[in-house]
Amino acid sequence: MADSSDARPSAGAALSAAALARLATLLPASSLSVDADALQRHGQDETESLRFPPAAVAWPASVAQVAAVMRWASAERLPVTPQGARTGLSGGALPVRGGLALSLERLDRIRDLNVADMTVETEAGVVTGQLQEAVAQHGLYYPPDPASRESCLIGGNIAEDSAGPHSCKYGTTRRFVLGLEAVLASGDVVHTGSANRKDVTGYNLTQLLVGSEGTLAVITAATLRLIRQPAATLVLGFGFDSLERAARAVSEVFASGVEPAACELMEARAIELLARSHDLPSELQGAEAFLLLELDGETSEQLLAAAARLGEVFAPNEPLVAQDARAQRRLWKIRSKIGEAVKGHSSYKEVDAVVPRSALAALVRAARRAATAAGLESVCYGHAGDGNLHINLLRGELDQSTWEESRDRAETELISSVLELGGAVSGEHGIGWTQRRHLTRALTPATLDLMRRVKQAFDPLGILNPDKIFP
Amino acid sequence: MADSSDARPSAGAALSAAALARLATLLPASSLSVDADALQRHGQDETESLRFPPAAVAWPASVAQVAAVMRWASAERLPVTPQGARTGLSGGALPVRGGLALSLERLDRIRDLNVADMTVETEAGVVTGQLQEAVAQHGLYYPPDPASRESCLIGGNIAEDSAGPHSCKYGTTRRFVLGLEAVLASGDVVHTGSANRKDVTGYNLTQLLVGSEGTLAVITAATLRLIRQPAATLVLGFGFDSLERAARAVSEVFASGVEPAACELMEARAIELLARSHDLPSELQGAEAFLLLELDGETSEQLLAAAARLGEVFAPNEPLVAQDARAQRRLWKIRSKIGEAVKGHSSYKEVDAVVPRSALAALVRAARRAATAAGLESVCYGHAGDGNLHINLLRGELDQSTWEESRDRAETELISSVLELGGAVSGEHGIGWTQRRHLTRALTPATLDLMRRVKQAFDPLGILNPDKIFP
């Protein structure tokens, strides 16, 4: 159940029959639709239950076709919203001003997998999980693993700088992007960066485009850096009888010299909600917090030695240790099913807060305080190793207007605490449509103004994913 | 001996006595100079022997003073060239249009070292090596290690996205920059990013500013991510009887699953030049190429196991193995003294080419071919693990005009080969002043035009480090 209070009809740009006919001449048959079903489908993503149907949907299948669409949109002065698999959680892919939804899903070719140089050139429409499988067949590893990796597209990941549990050790999507092919609002095709591991030829537009949420250019392809698959992995679970202790444990892990590949935290309420639908290991019963660690490296012996070191750090807590793939999957399932369990329980509003690691316990306390003050419950879980928690504010049984008021109050209060803790509004979900109102608090006027000028430099007509990011 | 052929008097902006007097009111005493000595010193960096004295030098000691200087410069429409320690190798810090040299060396405070969160906030004028030592005292590690690290400033490293041998495993400077404080041409102070490990609050201006060579903003401070110091290191040296074999060995190292912290290659000519002034291990006598690897990790046993694996890959080549710090320094010295040895031998022109790793041998061959065709000698050495070689074209005994003509011909030819191999004009030295002419070949007009619009968005008057990067 997601929050439907913001669902509203699009007040967006209509598309004249003549403009549509001109667009149709630029694309092959079956590349354009105004069917109600298609408009409905491309009018939503995974953000709450927001709905903003576009006036039309286009599915170009090549960079030349994307360029033609953007030239058309520039000439017609019509808004274009680039879309991947629409799995985003901040409404970045919603056509909030109508116009054209530009789906990248047909640019779905892995152009070149270079095993020797450990790079892959992929089009934007390749599913992230499929890309990971394709490179894994050659012993290579593309670490960024958003929860939606079986359905999300790599282009969307790049546009949002997506991350996941393994960003703890390996970094977010941006750390793997060496170069981009992208289409500007004008229809000009630009190539940024290269397939080289170092490249300081002019401004790093690659790293500017990563995370720009489809507002600066339409990313059509990327060259990604790969690493070797680790030979061994080990998954550990620790229950803690206090949240403070678990949060402190996160810092202790890193201070011990062990660098986990993933370090995920779940607080008691998340575990309780999960227990309603899943059989959990007995060690989790009654735990106030659960920490899941994945270690990876060259040999199992090395990982077991690291695990022993952590065992000492957390004594007398005994870890759950998962050595084989099946046991590891079982432990990971505890973490990966929490989102669903929370969402199945109640309407919710999610805050994707990130803070310095040492402020994790303070963040959870701030979430509880903000929620309680507004008459709500909060549930925290997420990527503790990066200081990034997904804080769900639960609607419970509140009526619509009370919920809206309480939710907004709690969120405003929580973001204030996050910023006081030195944190940021979003760690990985982006600003998109739903987090814009916090930006004036998070950034100084001079910084925000500079971002607006950058937007202007890329998209002077303001047709590319309008009304996103900026308040 | 460096090439002095491009030395020329500055045709730069003069500074009226009135403008200078206005600037003097904005800064404390001893923060401004027009002494011939100072102008001479701040008119050069480590690039060949280029000299472009500014009209004045300012040494602000706070971000407020930097902001005041930039407001003044905007009002006066005068060029400002930000400078660190002037150790750059592409002329990025040269005041090619005169005006004001803005030295950041007095912003030399480490503002906050956060051991628990493994971050450090440092001002731009801190010497990179001193920053490394300060964090090492807490078991922390800042890996980027340009050759000039004992004198270069962290702000300059950020402006150039500097790198060094350890970028092989850890990445270049940009991978460690979480946030920046910077002053725009207008004098506005902006804050980009944060101290968080993930942050997708609006555009990533941090990563755009890294590597922008002082043309977009004056970087005054940065928050850097740190990692734990590896507990163990091992240094290996391998001599090869053919360059092809050594270049292939680089790819084999990575294919073996061993990820070296550093992977440096020297070709025979570099070793020969070094042998004139240094006692080299007998294993290097007659080698056509020398590969230096550093491994790091948690235990020596683990590293020795990895070394044994590499020994098999390179059999029958026997490695030189350095386990203790002294032996490691001795092997590293072979690599670190090459630059000096080459420079002491002849005037030279350096090309900082980077190619995909598998094209390393082709790159060295291309360098030899381009040099020979122009009647010059080439010497290659550098960061092979990143595909980044410093190619020195040697002047030898040529007269000035022959040298200039030969050098330009060889460089043009070499850059053509680099681009054909999928490489880039510069891996870590930047475009600055000396590499600008290659940019129109390396970038498409649409991409170059986009970079110009970004410059315009940051610096509409064009006063910040003018005539750099863009041809």
Side-chain angles (χ1 to χ4, degrees):
Chain A
M1 277 174 287
D3 173 25
S4 63
S5 59
D6 288 311
R8 72 196 67 171
S10 163
L15 228 165
S16 72
L20 198 65
R22 283 190 288 273
L23 178 57
T25 65
L26 304 170
L27 295 170
S30 320
S31 301
L32 188 60
S33 174
V34 292
D35 289 354
D37 265 13
L39 302 186
Q40 175 69 13
R41 217 166 49 243
H42 288 266
Q44 53 190 301
D45 64 6
E46 301 281 328
T47 312
E48 303 160 23
S49 55
L50 298 172
R51 275 171 180 69
F52 293 92
V57 185
W59 293 269
S62 69
V63 61
Q65 288 174 19
V66 174
V69 169
M70 292 313 304
R71 277 193 300 273
W72 166 87
S74 276
E76 309 276 351
R77 299 277 200 283
L78 279 168
V80 173
T81 303
Q83 296 186 330
R86 303 185 313 284
T87 53
L89 295 165
S90 61
L94 295 173
V96 295
R97 279 222 244 145
L100 185 72
L102 179 65
S103 170
L104 277 300
E105 60 199 282
R106 290 194 190 162
L107 279 94
D108 61 356
R109 225 162 31 94
I110 294 179
R111 290 183 185 167
D112 182 38
L113 171 53
N114 186 325
V115 175
D117 290 324
M118 298 164 68
T119 55
V120 61
E121 185 185 348
T122 176
E123 292 182 343
V126 172
V127 172
T128 304
Q130 290 176 7
L131 182 75
Q132 288 175 321
E133 278 167 40
V135 307
Q137 286 172 19
H138 300 270
L140 297 173
Y141 183 31
Y142 174 72
D145 53 348
S148 56
R149 72 175 166 286
E150 296 308 333
S151 56
C152 65
L153 306 186
I154 192 73
N157 290 180
I158 294 168
E160 298 292 319
D161 189 18
S162 301
H166 289 87
S167 300
C168 175
K169 178 168 181 176
Y170 296 107
T172 66
T173 298
R174 79 167 57 256
R175 205 180 285 176
F176 296 87
V177 185
L178 296 174
L180 292 173
E181 173 193 270
V183 179
L184 300 183
S186 63
D188 284 347
V189 180
V190 293
H191 295 87
T192 71
S194 62
N196 297 288
R197 295 170 57 85
K198 295 158 85 177
D199 185 347
V200 289
T201 312
Y203 299 143
N204 200 308
L205 300 181
T206 307
Q207 292 294 320
L208 175 62
L209 288 177
V210 177
S212 64
E213 308 195 38
T215 65
L216 297 182
V218 182
I219 293 165
T220 51
T223 300
L224 306 174
R225 188 175 66 89
L226 304 170
I227 59 176
R228 292 217 71 78
Q229 283 219 305
T233 57
L234 186 67
V235 179
L236 304 172
F238 288 90
F240 290 92
D241 56 12
S242 95
L243 174 70
E244 306 288 327
R245 181 72 194 92
R248 221 167 48 236
V250 172
S251 287
E252 289 168 359
V253 169
F254 292 89
S256 77
V258 174
E259 190 190 11
C263 174
E264 301 281 307
L265 181 73
M266 288 136 268
E267 67 160 327
R269 286 172 187 171
I271 301 169
E272 281 162 33
L273 288 174
L274 190 65
R276 297 183 187 183
S277 52
H278 289 76
D279 278 337
L280 298 184
S282 59
E283 286 84 347
L284 262 71
Q285 310 292 340
E288 278 300 310
F290 182 62
L291 199 60
L292 185 146
L293 296 174
E294 183 172 301
L295 308 180
D296 68 15
E298 286 171 41
T299 64
S300 303
E301 295 67 41
Q302 178 193 331
L303 302 185
L304 287 167
R309 202 143 29 122
L310 292 178
E312 283 167 36
V313 172
F314 298 147
N317 289 34
E318 281 290 330
L320 295 163
V321 181
Q323 286 193 256
D324 63 276
R326 201 163 144 267
Q328 295 189 357
R329 270 199 304 276
R330 237 186 54 224
L331 267 187
W332 264 115
K333 217 171 157 186
I334 299 172
R335 166 63 185 90
S336 61
K337 291 293 174 193
I338 286 184
E340 270 174 40
V342 174
K343 279 148 205 173
H345 168 68
S346 165
S347 292
Y348 68 97
K349 169 78 188 187
E350 186 164 291
V351 176
D352 172 44
V354 61
V355 294
R357 239 165 4 214
S358 61
L360 268 178
L363 175 61
V364 179
R365 278 197 304 271
R368 288 177 179 175
R369 202 167 50 232
T372 305
L376 302 174
E377 259 201 317
S378 66
V379 180
C380 297
Y381 59 89
H383 313 307
D386 280 329
N388 179 209
L389 293 185
H390 303 314
I391 299 166
N392 288 255
L393 301 168
L394 304 188
R395 174 173 177 174
E397 304 301 319
L398 295 182
D399 65 65
Q400 184 65 25
S401 71
T402 311
W403 160 236
E404 287 181 20
E405 190 273 327
S406 302
R407 174 199 68 188
D408 290 352
R409 190 147 52 89
E411 197 185 356
T412 300
E413 166 85 16
L414 175 54
I415 293 292
S416 295
S417 300
V418 167
L419 296 173
E420 276 163 29
L421 293 169
V425 171
S426 179
E428 58 178 26
H429 293 171
I431 299 302
W433 171 251
T434 59
Q435 306 307 113
R436 300 179 307 153
R437 68 192 182 94
H438 306 303
L439 225 62
T440 45
R441 289 196 292 159
L443 304 176
T444 64
T447 307
L448 195 53
D449 186 53
L450 182 59
M451 288 187 188
R452 286 188 201 278
R453 292 205 302 278
V454 169
K455 165 71 176 174
Q456 178 78 14
F458 277 77
D459 177 21
L461 302 176
I463 58 169
L464 206 45
N465 211 2
D467 288 344
K468 300 297 170 60
I469 298 181
F470 297 102
Chain B
M1 276 173 286
D3 172 24
S4 64
S5 59
D6 288 311
R8 71 196 69 169
S10 164
L15 229 165
S16 73
L20 198 64
R22 283 189 289 272
L23 177 57
T25 65
L26 304 170
L27 295 170
S30 320
S31 302
L32 189 60
S33 176
V34 292
D35 289 355
D37 265 12
L39 302 185
Q40 176 69 12
R41 217 165 49 244
H42 288 265
Q44 53 190 301
D45 63 6
E46 300 282 328
T47 312
E48 302 158 26
S49 55
L50 299 172
R51 273 167 183 71
F52 292 94
V57 185
W59 293 270
S62 69
V63 60
Q65 288 173 20
V66 174
V69 169
M70 292 313 303
R71 277 193 301 272
W72 166 87
S74 276
E76 309 277 351
R77 299 277 200 282
L78 279 167
V80 173
T81 303
Q83 295 186 331
R86 305 183 311 284
T87 52
L89 296 166
S90 60
L94 296 174
V96 294
R97 279 221 244 144
L100 185 73
L102 179 64
S103 170
L104 277 300
E105 61 200 279
R106 290 194 190 164
L107 280 93
D108 61 355
R109 225 161 31 93
I110 294 179
R111 291 183 184 167
D112 182 39
L113 171 53
N114 186 325
V115 175
D117 290 324
M118 298 163 67
T119 55
V120 62
E121 185 184 347
T122 176
E123 291 183 345
V126 172
V127 173
T128 304
Q130 289 175 8
L131 182 76
Q132 288 175 322
E133 277 167 39
V135 306
Q137 285 172 20
H138 300 271
L140 297 172
Y141 183 31
Y142 175 71
D145 54 347
S148 56
R149 71 176 167 285
E150 296 309 333
S151 56
C152 64
L153 306 186
I154 191 75
N157 290 179
I158 294 168
E160 299 292 318
D161 189 17
S162 300
H166 289 87
S167 300
C168 175
K169 178 170 180 176
Y170 296 107
T172 66
T173 297
R174 78 167 57 255
R175 205 181 284 177
F176 296 88
V177 185
L178 295 174
L180 292 173
E181 174 193 271
V183 179
L184 301 183
S186 62
D188 284 345
V189 180
V190 292
H191 296 87
T192 72
S194 62
N196 297 287
R197 295 170 57 84
K198 295 157 86 176
D199 186 346
V200 288
T201 312
Y203 299 144
N204 202 308
L205 300 181
T206 306
Q207 292 294 320
L208 174 62
L209 289 176
V210 176
S212 64
E213 307 194 39
T215 65
L216 297 182
V218 182
I219 293 165
T220 51
T223 301
L224 305 174
R225 187 174 66 87
L226 304 169
I227 60 176
R228 292 217 72 78
Q229 282 218 308
T233 56
L234 187 68
V235 178
L236 305 172
F238 289 91
F240 289 92
D241 55 12
S242 94
L243 174 70
E244 306 286 329
R245 180 73 194 91
R248 220 165 50 235
V250 173
S251 288
E252 288 168 358
V253 169
F254 292 89
S256 77
V258 174
E259 190 189 12
C263 174
E264 301 282 307
L265 181 75
M266 288 135 269
E267 67 159 328
R269 285 172 188 173
I271 301 169
E272 281 163 31
L273 288 174
L274 190 65
R276 298 184 187 181
S277 52
H278 290 75
D279 277 338
L280 297 183
S282 58
E283 287 84 347
L284 262 71
Q285 310 290 341
E288 278 299 311
F290 182 62
L291 199 61
L292 184 147
L293 296 174
E294 183 173 302
L295 308 180
D296 68 15
E298 287 170 40
T299 64
S300 303
E301 294 68 41
Q302 179 193 330
L303 302 184
L304 288 167
R309 202 143 29 121
L310 292 177
E312 284 167 35
V313 172
F314 299 147
N317 290 36
E318 281 290 331
L320 297 163
V321 181
Q323 286 192 258
D324 64 276
R326 200 164 145 267
Q328 295 188 359
R329 271 198 304 275
R330 235 187 55 226
L331 267 186
W332 264 115
K333 217 171 156 185
I334 299 171
R335 165 65 184 89
S336 61
K337 292 293 173 195
I338 285 183
E340 270 174 40
V342 174
K343 280 148 206 175
H345 168 69
S346 166
S347 291
Y348 66 98
K349 168 78 188 188
E350 187 164 292
V351 177
D352 172 42
V354 60
V355 294
R357 246 174 350 226
S358 61
L360 269 175
L363 174 61
V364 179
R365 278 197 304 270
R368 290 178 179 175
R369 201 168 50 231
T372 306
L376 303 173
E377 257 202 318
S378 66
V379 180
C380 297
Y381 59 90
H383 315 307
D386 279 330
N388 178 209
L389 293 184
H390 303 313
I391 299 165
N392 288 256
L393 301 168
L394 304 188
R395 174 173 175 173
E397 305 301 319
L398 296 181
D399 66 66
Q400 185 64 24
S401 71
T402 311
W403 160 235
E404 287 181 21
E405 190 272 328
S406 303
R407 173 199 68 186
D408 291 351
R409 191 147 51 90
E411 197 185 358
T412 300
E413 166 85 15
L414 175 54
I415 294 292
S416 296
S417 300
V418 167
L419 296 174
E420 275 163 30
L421 292 169
V425 171
S426 178
E428 58 178 27
H429 292 171
I431 299 302
W433 171 253
T434 58
Q435 305 307 112
R436 300 180 308 154
R437 68 191 182 96
H438 306 304
L439 226 62
T440 45
R441 289 196 292 160
L443 304 176
T444 65
T447 307
L448 194 53
D449 186 53
L450 182 59
M451 288 186 186
R452 285 189 201 276
R453 292 204 302 278
V454 169
K455 165 72 175 174
Q456 177 79 13
F458 276 77
D459 177 20
L461 301 176
I463 58 169
L464 205 45
N465 211 2
D467 288 344
K468 301 295 170 63
I469 298 180
F470 298 102

